[in-house]
Amino acid sequence: MDGYPDGIERIRVLLAWAGTSARESTGGLKSYDMAVQRLLLAEDPDLIRTALATGSPSPVQLEGAAQLFSSVEWTGAHGKDLPEPRRSMLIGLQAGGTDSMRFRMRHGYCGAEVSA
C-alpha cells in the first residue's frame, strides 16, 4: 500500500475494499479477501479508530469496519466493545446494511444490543 502513504487514507481504502466482499452476492469472504483483513490487522488500532472518526465513512467502509471488528483476530486482541461514536455508526447500519451486517449485530458483535 505504498501508494497510500497517509495512514487515514490508506485505512479508509482498505476498509472500503474489505466492505466490498460483504456486499458481493457470491456468499461472503473468499481466501483473497483475507489479505485485506491481514493488512488492516497490521495497522495501528488507534489509527483505524481515528480513520472511522474522520469525515463521514461510506456504507461500504462501515461494512468493512464491521467485518474487521467482528473478526476473531480483532476481538481476541481488542475485545468486542467499541467506543462511541463508532459503535453507533456500525449499529446504524443494522436497518439498511447487508445480511452479514445484520447477522453481526443480531449476535452482539461490537457491543451492539439486539434491536426489536
Side-chain angles (χ1 to χ4, degrees):
M1 295 297 300
D2 292 335
Y4 291 95
D6 177 67
I8 300 294
E9 182 181 354
R10 179 179 60 248
I11 288 169
R12 290 176 68 99
V13 167
L14 288 170
L15 288 172
W17 189 4
T20 301
S21 66
R23 293 173 172 264
E24 289 178 356
S25 61
T26 57
L29 289 176
K30 305 294 183 213
S31 59
Y32 51 81
D33 294 320
M34 299 310 292
V36 179
Q37 184 170 330
R38 283 191 299 273
L39 288 170
L40 283 164
L41 289 167
E43 294 287 348
D44 177 0
D46 289 332
L47 191 58
I48 293 172
R49 292 180 191 108
T50 301
L52 283 172
T54 304
S56 225
S58 69
V60 73
Q61 287 170 328
L62 291 173
E63 290 273 3
Q67 190 167 298
L68 173 67
F69 295 149
S70 65
S71 71
V72 173
E73 295 83 2
W74 180 274
T75 59
H78 310 288
K80 289 184 180 181
D81 292 329
L82 293 173
E84 291 294 345
R86 292 155 211 78
R87 180 180 168 276
S88 293
M89 283 191 300
L90 295 176
I91 291 171
L93 279 179
Q94 186 173 355
T98 63
D99 288 341
S100 64
M101 170 60 78
R102 287 190 292 274
F103 175 85
R104 287 181 181 93
M105 295 298 105
R106 274 195 314 272
H107 291 84
Y109 290 110
C110 305
E113 299 294 326
V114 177
S115 65

